[in-house]
Amino acid sequence: MYKFNSADLSDYYLGIQKEWLVTNGLGGYASSTIIGANTRTYHGLLVSALNPPVDRTLMLSSVDEEIYVNGSLYRLATHKYPMTVHPEGYKYLKEVSFKPFPAFVYQVENTEIIKQIFMQYGINTTIISYQVNCSDNNTVFRLIPLVNLRSFHYTTRSNDIKFEQNPSEYGTKIVGKTQFFHLHSNINYTPEGVWYYNLEYDMERYRGLEYQEDNYNPGFFELNLGKGENNIFIAASTNVEISNQNWNDIKNIYENEIKRVNSHGYIFEKDFCNHLSKTTDSFIVARKSTNSESIIAGYHWFSDWGRDAMISLPGLTLVTGRYNEASRILKGFAANCQDGLIPNRFADTENDNPDYNTVDASLWFIHAAGKYFEYTSDLETIRDVWNTITEIIHHYIHGTYFNIQIDKDGLIKHDGQLTWMDAKVDGIEVTPRRGKTCEINALWYNALKTASSLAEKLGVLRKEYDKNADRVKSSFLDTFWNNNHGCLFDCISIGDDGEIYKDPSIRPNQIFAVSLPYTMLSHDKEKMVVDNVEEKLLTSKGLRTLSPEDEKYRDAYSGGPYERDFAYHNGTVWPWLMGHFIDAYLKVNNGSVENREYARSLLLGFENHFKEAGIDTISEVFDGDYPHNPGGCVSQAWSVAEILRAYVENFESNPTGISHLR
């Protein structure tokens, strides 16, 4: 359990750097900072996934608490307005803890208020409970909800939307143009109708995005409190049944949610792993369109991306023993394979089609299927996705969209911006990688060998896969080896004049030529690759995406969208790469006690980050230069998954029986 005391909570600008997140298994969530100030358009107490796991809509932005004690008014909320913070409720915070849901303890005179926030799994419902301990009867408690009905990507002004409500004694139905939700409590509701103007979101201003908006207050809930313990709740939900809940129902929901969350933790020897194991649950979500589970790439703003899902699947589902979910995720993505391509990204709305603009998601899919069989020996699932595996290989050989196809040397070539380094600014490719890239061909070889191994288990022909793998292996070294630097060229491209250009940029993509289950380099050359990556790219938070010695290197992931996109893969550190570095490092360094302890310490170093940005999770990226400040999403699936997987597979003996089978 993480705990922050008043010393951690007394400074507004320090408090807003730490964010909490509660999810509901649908893609919906509740999230804010530890001092209760919303700093992102994505923050809110009920963000509902109306077409799970997407079409996420902000409904309940916040709830302002006011308490009158002996005739004096105390406001517990915290909001940012132009040039001011008002009210400054964080000054009454005595403690914030996570066990696992956020609990806030406020102290006002002799009155203590304990607030807990949790969600009901599988339903777009957030519940906020209050235990108010009063020293006398002269106390009034008021709850003021601020609502909205907008996409979580954007902001709203008062003239953008008209609200209607259908009030009752203990709540109201909030109705917008096409959407609605319910507010319900066990204390009396009074409809009112007031706009709060020019609320500001500090993180969006920092990111160079729209940062001001208006929120609507439909009314308030109020109760005269009695001496002693008073139990109050307010619930926001798209489900009308919430209007029938009472305090005992809320207690039961809370206890069930605690049991469910804890069922995904405490299965490992190391608390470090148990923290991450609980966090993995937030990324596994239902997808309505496939009637299966999927994987959210990151909170707050990402949907389920194929590349991220396949890279994350082993760490989120296999090392944690969630084999049934892993099987359904593989089948769900397989059902959406198109001409050999796994979706790069499912759309944010129901009416849009998936994007297929990726060369590596399909190869990571085959890798994930191989890992799944390694853990489970489940041939039935492999049979179910086998046609997808063969379809991928067929189209990569004979050609598919974006000029993805093998060349005469057996290596895969492709158009630009199809790898994970895919940033573009105003049509400009930030990291141009059109042609043949080192990690795509490492993945291609691994996919062919994995398919061959699975074909043998299925009793089907494997000769074609081995033949193509041999062609790749015979070409890879001559094509990609850089004698001058003792590592791999990042990309081989052909200019308009027919000239072959070999990109010598020192990037982390070459680590996969060592870390994947099937690789092509000799031990000596693998060791040279790892040493080069360690020297130029390794940090305490993952691997840099470009050597600091390169003139294109950007030392910080900061500024507006333009600046951040140019830094994204030009020096910015990515934690998920640490998992593959650890595998590669241990592979080439003979697993001595000293080397193992060094690798283990690199992974455990992330524990210091669990209270730094997103609570109990790992950020998407970090600055290239020390002190490697976190950035991007506060909770990223492959960051969590790869750090957990690398630790469990390499260092956890795990007496529970859930372990890597290698």
Side-chain angles (χ1 to χ4, degrees):
M1 180 183 76
Y2 289 120
K3 184 182 293 186
F4 299 90
N5 57 36
S6 56
D8 303 307
L9 305 166
S10 59
D11 185 288
Y12 172 83
Y13 289 100
L14 290 178
I16 62 174
Q17 293 177 20
K18 299 173 176 61
E19 303 175 48
W20 57 267
L21 174 77
V22 177
T23 61
N24 67 350
L26 298 177
Y29 63 83
S31 180
S32 188
T33 63
I34 62 170
I35 62 170
N38 290 348
T39 62
R40 303 180 186 271
T41 61
Y42 301 98
H43 279 157
L45 297 181
L46 177 61
V47 177
S48 295
L50 300 182
N51 179 35
V54 292
D55 197 5
R56 284 168 285 185
T57 301
L58 175 69
M59 294 183 165
L60 178 62
S61 178
S62 60
V63 175
D64 289 12
E65 301 91 2
E66 294 184 349
I67 188 164
Y68 296 80
V69 180
N70 297 320
S72 296
L73 171 62
Y74 299 88
R75 295 184 172 94
L76 305 186
T78 300
H79 294 301
K80 180 70 177 300
Y81 293 98
M83 305 300 292
T84 189
V85 176
H86 177 80
E88 297 178 304
Y90 66 94
K91 293 183 176 180
Y92 301 107
L93 268 173
K94 184 171 69 173
E95 177 183 297
V96 177
S97 60
F98 298 85
K99 46 185 181 184
F101 303 124
F104 306 81
V105 180
Y106 297 87
Q107 187 72 44
V108 174
E109 295 188 15
N110 292 324
T111 299
E112 181 184 67
I113 304 101
I114 303 173
K115 175 173 72 173
Q116 292 183 303
I117 302 173
F118 58 100
M119 297 192 80
Q120 191 168 5
Y121 191 78
I123 303 174
N124 286 311
T125 298
T126 298
I127 299 168
I128 307 136
S129 69
Y130 300 88
Q131 179 183 310
V132 186
N133 301 306
C134 299
S135 58
D136 55 48
N137 293 315
N138 193 22
T139 304
V140 179
F141 193 57
R142 177 179 285 190
L143 299 175
I144 304 168
L146 301 188
V147 307
N148 216 309
L149 281 171
R150 62 159 170 85
S151 165
F152 73 160
H153 290 304
Y154 307 109
T155 56
T156 295
R157 288 300 193 176
S158 59
N159 57 359
D160 294 335
I161 186 170
K162 181 180 179 181
F163 289 101
E164 295 180 359
Q165 63 172 313
N166 301 320
S168 62
E169 183 178 4
Y170 294 107
T172 187
K173 179 181 179 181
I174 306 295
V175 183
K177 185 176 180 181
T178 60
Q179 300 155 333
F180 64 89
F181 71 103
H182 302 267
L183 289 170
H184 174 65
S185 181
N186 59 342
I187 63 176
N188 291 97
Y189 177 72
T190 300
E192 195 171 49
V194 177
W195 279 97
Y196 282 48
Y197 298 102
N198 297 321
L199 292 148
E200 291 192 348
Y201 303 129
D202 283 323
M203 279 303 301
E204 304 305 347
R205 177 164 52 186
Y206 173 74
R207 297 171 69 227
L209 301 173
E210 177 57 46
Y211 62 91
Q212 288 185 334
E213 83 164 341
D214 306 329
N215 280 324
Y216 182 67
N217 164 230
F220 60 89
F221 299 85
E222 188 172 274
L223 180 67
N224 293 315
L225 302 179
K227 185 177 181 179
E229 182 179 306
N230 298 264
N231 294 307
I232 300 163
F233 75 88
I234 180 173
S237 178
T238 59
N239 190 343
V240 67
E241 292 180 5
I242 197 68
S243 302
N244 300 318
Q245 304 289 340
N246 58 39
W247 177 252
N248 287 329
D249 295 328
I250 298 304
K251 284 177 59 180
N252 290 333
I253 293 171
Y254 176 76
E255 290 170 1
N256 288 336
E257 290 305 314
I258 290 291
K259 290 177 183 177
R260 199 198 68 79
V261 171
N262 285 340
S263 70
H264 299 299
Y266 308 116
I267 60 176
F268 297 111
E269 297 171 313
K270 191 73 177 174
D271 284 344
F272 172 78
C273 295
N274 288 324
H275 281 296
L276 290 178
S277 179
K278 285 184 182 180
T279 303
T280 63
D281 182 60
S282 65
F283 302 108
I284 301 172
V285 296
R287 168 155 280 283
K288 181 181 177 182
S289 67
T290 60
N291 194 31
S292 66
E293 283 89 346
S294 189
I295 292 173
I296 287 286
Y299 291 98
H300 299 87
W301 48 81
F302 285 127
S303 61
D304 41 345
W305 291 58
R307 173 192 299 118
D308 299 58
M310 295 305 110
I311 291 172
S312 301
L313 185 142
L316 299 186
T317 64
L318 298 182
V319 302
T320 57
R322 300 179 70 162
Y323 304 143
N324 291 334
E325 288 98 327
S327 174
R328 291 192 290 268
I329 291 166
L330 287 171
K331 293 175 186 176
F333 275 91
N336 282 273
C337 184
Q338 182 174 295
D339 292 325
L341 297 181
I342 294 296
N344 184 28
R345 182 184 72 92
F346 283 105
D348 276 337
T349 61
E350 189 172 9
N351 297 324
D352 294 330
N353 296 319
D355 294 329
Y356 289 90
N357 52 338
T358 170
V359 62
D360 51 354
S362 298
L363 303 178
W364 282 114
F365 175 89
I366 296 176
H367 171 74
K371 292 285 286 186
Y372 174 82
F373 182 77
E374 184 182 351
Y375 271 81
T376 67
S377 301
D378 173 17
L379 268 180
E380 291 305 310
T381 292
I382 299 302
R383 285 192 181 94
D384 287 339
V385 302
W386 181 247
N387 285 342
T388 301
I389 292 174
T390 60
E391 179 187 353
I392 291 168
I393 293 174
H394 172 82
H395 280 91
Y396 274 52
I397 291 173
H398 297 285
T400 185
Y401 304 117
F402 308 107
N403 293 313
I404 299 170
Q405 186 177 5
I406 61 169
D407 204 352
K408 58 187 177 182
D409 56 5
L411 298 175
I412 293 291
K413 59 181 181 179
H414 52 82
D415 285 349
Q417 306 315 98
L418 300 179
T419 73
W420 78 283
M421 291 187 168
D422 56 2
K424 294 177 81 170
V425 175
D426 296 333
I428 300 172
E429 297 181 352
V430 177
T431 50
R433 306 186 76 222
R434 181 189 306 267
K436 301 171 186 176
T437 47
C438 64
E439 86 277 15
I440 297 305
N441 283 286
L443 282 163
W444 173 230
Y445 179 80
N446 182 69
L448 290 166
K449 297 299 289 184
T450 299
S452 174
S453 175
L454 294 176
E456 181 181 29
K457 300 294 190 300
L458 292 169
V460 298
L461 293 177
R462 56 185 293 191
K463 184 177 180 180
E464 178 188 6
Y465 310 124
D466 288 330
K467 179 181 176 181
N468 279 288
D470 290 343
R471 289 181 66 201
V472 176
K473 187 172 185 177
S474 67
S475 301
F476 186 81
L477 184 64
D478 289 341
T479 302
F480 283 102
W481 189 253
N482 182 346
N483 268 319
N484 291 333
H485 290 106
C487 64
L488 297 177
F489 287 109
D490 187 65
C491 178
I492 313 298
S493 60
I494 301 177
D496 294 336
D497 57 359
E499 187 81 17
I500 295 177
Y501 174 70
K502 296 193 173 187
D503 183 2
S505 301
I506 306 299
R507 297 187 182 276
N509 303 303
Q510 60 188 306
I511 202 68
F512 301 110
V514 185
S515 65
L516 290 168
Y518 299 98
T519 57
M520 298 169 279
L521 301 176
S522 66
H523 176 81
D524 289 346
K525 283 186 167 51
E526 287 187 333
K527 181 76 162 57
M528 293 170 72
V529 166
V530 173
D531 289 347
N532 192 290
V533 169
E534 182 180 14
E535 178 185 355
K536 302 293 176 60
L537 305 178
L538 179 65
T539 75
S540 60
K541 293 298 187 290
L543 300 185
R544 295 185 180 97
T545 40
L546 185 65
S547 168
E549 298 172 359
D550 197 296
E551 63 181 10
K552 298 184 296 293
Y553 176 77
R554 301 290 182 100
D555 60 3
Y557 182 74
S558 61
Y562 183 92
E563 291 82 9
R564 285 184 282 113
D565 281 345
F566 267 101
Y568 208 34
H569 300 116
N570 279 326
T572 296
V573 172
W574 290 73
W576 78 274
L577 297 169
M578 182 70 90
H580 282 271
F581 174 79
I582 295 298
D583 292 342
Y585 177 86
L586 292 174
K587 178 182 179 181
V588 303
N589 283 289
N590 301 319
S592 70
V593 173
E594 182 180 5
N595 288 333
R596 285 180 58 79
E597 187 55 34
Y598 166 70
R600 182 173 174 272
S601 69
L602 288 173
L603 295 173
L604 291 179
F606 283 93
E607 196 162 21
N608 295 328
H609 178 59
F610 289 174
K611 293 175 66 176
E612 186 180 34
I615 305 301
D616 243 358
T617 189
I618 301 176
S619 297
E620 178 188 8
V621 295
F622 294 81
D623 288 347
D625 277 7
Y626 184 83
H628 308 299
N629 293 317
C633 284
V634 296
S635 186
Q636 191 79 357
W638 59 14
S639 298
V640 171
E642 274 300 287
I643 298 305
L644 177 61
R645 180 202 60 78
Y647 193 95
V648 172
E649 289 188 352
N650 290 296
F651 302 107
E652 180 83 11
S653 61
N654 194 6
T656 63
I658 300 172
S659 62
H660 189 50
L661 302 181
R662 184 166 57 198

